[in-house]
Amino acid sequence: MTEEKSLNFLEEIVEKDLADGKYKTIVTRFPPEPNGYLHMGHAKSICLNFGLALKYGGKTNLRFDDTNPVTEDTEYVESIKNDIRWLGFDWAEELYASDYFEKLYEFATALIKKGLAYVDDSTSEEIAKQKGTPTTPGTDSPYRNRSVEENLTMFADMRAGKYRDGEKVLRAKVDMAHPNMHMRDPLMYRIKHAHHHRTGDKWCVYPMYDFAHGQSDSIENITHSICTLEFIPHRALYDWFIEKLEIYPSHQYEFARLNMTYTVMSKRKLLQLVNEKHVSGWDDPRMPTLSGVRRRGYTPASIREFCDRIGVAKRENLIDVGLLEFCVREDLNKTAQRRMVVFDPIKVIITNYPEGKVEMLEGENNPEDPNGGTREMPFSREILIEEDDFMEVAPKKYFRLAPGQMVRLKNAYIIKCDEVIKDSLGKIKELHCSYIPESRSGSDTSGINVKGTLHWVCAKHAVPVEARLYERLFKVEDLGEAEGDFKDYLNPDSLQIKTVYAEPALLKDSSDLRFQFLRKGYFVMDPDSTPSKPVFNRTVTLKDIWAKKN
């Protein structure tokens, strides 16, 4: 009998709300701004919002917070939709804050009519000064007591394009002495003469996030508006707008955002890495973007499992990236096809194997999957093994290949090293070995037991492949604690490119598959691949440090 998982604090809230009859069904939303690509922090939010709705029979809207025309683009809209679907979720409705521009303008006008909003001519510097400090109250704007009629006229003129960018703003009239700085007459609208990716040039006034967000939630009857902890100070304003407008009372709840070791989760910093060419793009496999981890070979199931394991907390913490790597290893171990690939080859000539003969041997695609099937592997007189799998002078308890020592070739035969052939400089050129014909895997009648098993590829049929070996992008564990420019901590060895040699089966139907290169790690084909130059990205190594630590 499995132990039932305890509820997180958001599930407890939802269950109580449903039990009390507060809502018949719950409605959540995922509200990204289309100004960049989604990253692992967004994955946590996606899994949380969509997961809550799925668990409790509700629905989730995808709403693009497109209130800043300067930074937004349809390219980002499409990438966000692709990432959500790739993670395994779908939305009830696809909506945009820009769908509500007219309604939001009406809301703002209603607040002006109630004497709760005013047009301010102050500069941004003057407004910042008026706000005061957390320990000293602010001072009223000289424009705070304009008449309702004057404010309505000016706000209409702002919309009509009669003023330049920054010439006027609309502010809520709350309380300039409020202990919460966000409540000191916050901005509701600013002027931006910029082309919007959906509304074109129809608007030149755009709502601020704090004004658009809660009202958009209300319009959509969002029951549980889930944000990260940095929005706690914004909650009072969220509630104030809803209360004063007397609209549907959506409620905001906050959870800890995802912070992960050896990476950054700031869109601004990720954009810097892209723009300054420290990475090849938003989908560089070293990036924590969903397009990056997808290209690296992470599976949707592994990311959902990771988000489930880290849970939902009310306090910020730093998650070990080793847990993410553990989750993808667990998933790929069950699903990845096994292939033999030699990274640093040394040639082996099996002197007693018939010249010209090519034998087709059989290997399991995945020993963890009883329905995984098998593949054929060519075997002949000349094969390649790893340079590291041979020692000319071997220590005791060395079970790989050495002079006079026997090993088994995976899915093939037992061989014995008889002679080491060197070039004029004393470098090993090739190994001469003999094989035991009766020792073929699956029908071994030799009676010989050996402790070492090596992977190999047939030299004649080996396929050259580019392997991109990715490591962590940064050298330090906690970049939040690091001093100076975060880019000073970039890992210069985060990518190593090698030509390696694979068994031919690797290239059959490989574009959509993930592979375990035996004894090397998990790999996936990269979109840069061409028929003449296959490229494979290492998703993660086989060694699991996190599991040992925990």
Side-chain angles (χ1 to χ4, degrees):
M1 189 172 157
T2 56
E3 188 180 337
E4 195 171 324
K5 193 176 176 185
S6 60
L7 300 177
N8 63 53
F9 79 97
L10 288 170
E11 290 170 333
E12 288 174 352
I13 289 168
V14 169
E15 291 202 359
K16 185 176 188 308
D17 287 346
L18 291 171
D20 292 349
K22 190 173 180 180
Y23 309 110
K24 287 184 179 175
T25 57
I26 72 160
V27 185
T28 63
R29 84 289 169 270
F30 176 62
E33 184 179 356
N35 65 348
Y37 288 75
L38 298 184
H39 55 60
M40 286 296 298
H42 296 110
K44 180 179 177 182
S45 181
I46 290 166
C47 291
L48 178 54
N49 278 289
F50 284 89
L52 274 174
L54 284 168
K55 181 172 182 176
Y56 295 106
K59 69 171 189 174
T60 303
N61 290 341
L62 170 60
R63 182 177 72 240
F64 290 98
D65 176 31
D66 57 344
T67 57
N68 187 356
V70 176
T71 59
E72 295 157 4
D73 198 282
T74 50
E75 174 197 347
Y76 299 131
V77 170
E78 292 308 312
S79 76
I80 288 167
K81 291 197 285 188
N82 289 339
D83 285 345
I84 296 169
R85 288 198 178 107
W86 175 74
L87 265 182
F89 300 106
D90 209 347
W91 46 91
E93 295 182 71
E94 181 182 323
L95 302 164
Y96 296 79
S98 55
D99 294 338
Y100 311 134
F101 279 173
E102 194 66 52
K103 187 67 179 172
L104 293 170
Y105 182 84
E106 288 173 18
F107 283 154
T109 302
L111 289 176
I112 292 172
K113 287 176 180 176
K114 289 185 172 191
L116 295 173
Y118 62 97
V119 174
D120 195 340
D121 299 4
S122 304
T123 64
S124 57
E125 293 78 16
E126 288 168 341
I127 290 172
K129 198 172 178 183
Q130 290 163 16
K131 290 259 186 175
T133 71
T135 55
T136 58
T139 54
D140 288 355
S141 163
Y143 308 100
R144 196 173 196 264
N145 295 316
R146 276 176 163 155
S147 68
V148 168
E149 292 72 23
E150 189 179 6
N151 282 318
L152 287 171
T153 301
M154 283 187 164
F155 190 46
D157 288 346
M158 285 169 64
R159 176 178 180 169
K162 292 189 179 181
Y163 304 112
R164 299 185 305 275
D165 287 9
E167 196 172 342
K168 296 184 189 297
V169 294
L170 184 71
R171 294 175 72 178
K173 190 187 288 188
V174 189
D175 180 1
M176 290 303 290
H178 201 287
N180 182 341
M181 297 283 285
H182 290 277
M183 299 296 282
R184 296 184 185 179
D185 289 12
L187 270 59
M188 293 169 55
Y189 271 85
R190 78 283 207 201
I191 300 169
K192 274 187 185 287
H193 291 275
H195 187 80
H196 189 279
H197 72 104
R198 292 187 76 244
T199 60
D201 299 315
K202 181 180 178 183
W203 292 88
C204 63
V205 289
Y206 291 94
M208 303 298 288
Y209 173 87
D210 275 333
F211 183 64
H213 189 69
Q215 281 55 260
S216 299
D217 283 347
S218 181
I219 291 166
E220 294 172 24
N221 287 5
I222 301 300
T223 59
H224 298 78
S225 177
I226 300 163
C227 306
T228 45
L229 290 179
E230 64 264 35
F231 289 97
I232 287 177
H234 300 250
R235 193 199 314 151
L237 185 57
Y238 181 102
D239 293 340
W240 187 87
F241 280 130
I242 285 175
E243 178 198 334
K244 299 304 178 188
L245 288 165
E246 301 176 71
I247 54 179
Y248 182 84
S250 295
H251 291 277
Q252 178 179 303
Y253 304 92
E254 303 85 16
F255 71 100
R257 66 187 297 164
L258 173 61
N259 297 303
M260 206 157 58
T261 56
Y262 297 102
T263 192
V264 291
M265 292 290 183
S266 156
K267 234 189 244 184
R268 178 182 58 80
K269 288 180 178 177
L270 294 176
L271 182 61
Q272 263 185 279
L273 294 176
V274 173
N275 288 344
E276 296 174 20
K277 311 290 185 191
H278 297 289
V279 292
S280 61
W282 285 100
D283 68 342
D284 186 299
R286 292 165 292 183
M287 291 278 273
T289 55
L290 292 185
S291 52
V293 297
R294 177 165 69 242
R295 185 173 175 184
R296 187 157 170 167
Y298 278 77
T299 59
S302 67
I303 292 172
R304 292 194 304 268
E305 174 66 15
F306 170 70
C307 291
D308 187 50
R309 278 174 175 261
I310 60 177
V312 182
K314 291 184 180 182
R315 243 182 4 179
E316 296 285 6
N317 57 349
L318 190 65
I319 303 297
D320 188 344
V321 70
L323 174 57
L324 176 61
E325 293 167 349
F326 170 81
C327 290
V328 76
R329 279 192 197 94
E330 287 278 290
D331 190 39
L332 292 178
N333 184 50
K334 294 178 285 190
T335 58
Q337 299 219 346
R338 275 43 170 181
R339 297 291 184 266
M340 293 195 288
V341 182
V342 172
F343 278 51
D344 297 293
I346 183 170
K347 186 185 279 190
V348 171
I349 297 176
I350 303 170
T351 53
N352 63 334
Y353 194 89
E355 286 194 49
K357 180 180 176 181
V358 177
E359 191 175 354
M360 299 308 289
L361 303 177
E362 192 173 75
E364 286 180 295
N365 282 327
N366 186 333
E368 303 291 321
D369 180 4
N371 301 313
T374 59
R375 68 193 189 280
E376 288 190 327
M377 300 168 293
F379 183 84
S380 65
R381 179 183 171 90
E382 294 187 8
I383 62 169
L384 304 176
I385 65 168
E386 292 288 353
E387 193 175 50
D388 285 351
D389 283 340
F390 173 78
M391 283 187 80
E392 193 171 6
V393 181
K396 210 172 178 182
K397 295 190 176 178
Y398 180 79
F399 299 124
R400 285 175 274 179
L401 198 59
Q405 196 154 298
M406 290 189 186
V407 295
R408 173 169 290 284
L409 299 174
K410 178 77 173 170
N411 299 120
Y413 296 94
I414 294 172
I415 61 169
K416 178 184 176 184
C417 180
D418 301 316
E419 188 179 4
V420 180
I421 309 298
K422 298 182 180 180
D423 62 19
S424 57
L425 298 173
K427 189 176 186 321
I428 295 174
K429 184 181 173 185
E430 59 193 39
L431 305 176
H432 286 187
C433 296
S434 53
Y435 87 118
I436 314 296
E438 303 79 27
S439 66
R440 178 169 164 162
S441 292
S443 57
D444 185 354
T445 58
S446 68
I448 299 170
N449 290 315
V450 293
K451 291 187 176 178
T453 300
L454 309 185
H455 69 281
W456 55 274
V457 292
C458 177
K460 183 180 178 182
H461 297 89
V463 180
V465 165
E466 181 178 296
R468 296 178 181 174
L469 309 179
Y470 290 101
E471 295 289 348
R472 288 158 186 179
L473 188 54
F474 291 93
K475 295 180 288 184
V476 295
E477 190 172 54
D478 187 355
L479 283 150
E481 299 290 321
E483 295 179 0
D485 189 337
F486 79 103
K487 298 189 298 296
D488 293 342
Y489 300 96
L490 283 163
N491 177 9
D493 302 316
S494 60
L495 171 59
Q496 181 188 1
I497 296 175
K498 287 179 73 80
T499 298
V500 300
Y501 300 89
E503 60 171 286
L506 178 65
L507 299 187
K508 290 180 181 175
D509 305 319
S510 59
S511 58
D512 295 324
L513 296 176
R514 290 169 175 82
F515 297 94
Q516 184 193 105
F517 291 3
L518 291 183
R519 303 168 66 213
K520 292 295 182 181
Y522 292 100
F523 287 77
V524 69
M525 183 177 270
D526 187 83
D528 287 347
S529 288
T530 64
S532 60
K533 187 182 179 183
V535 178
F536 283 81
N537 297 329
R538 184 171 68 192
T539 306
V540 68
T541 58
L542 292 179
K543 194 175 181 184
D544 189 354
I545 297 164
W546 186 87
K548 287 179 182 175
K549 281 200 303 187
N550 295 274

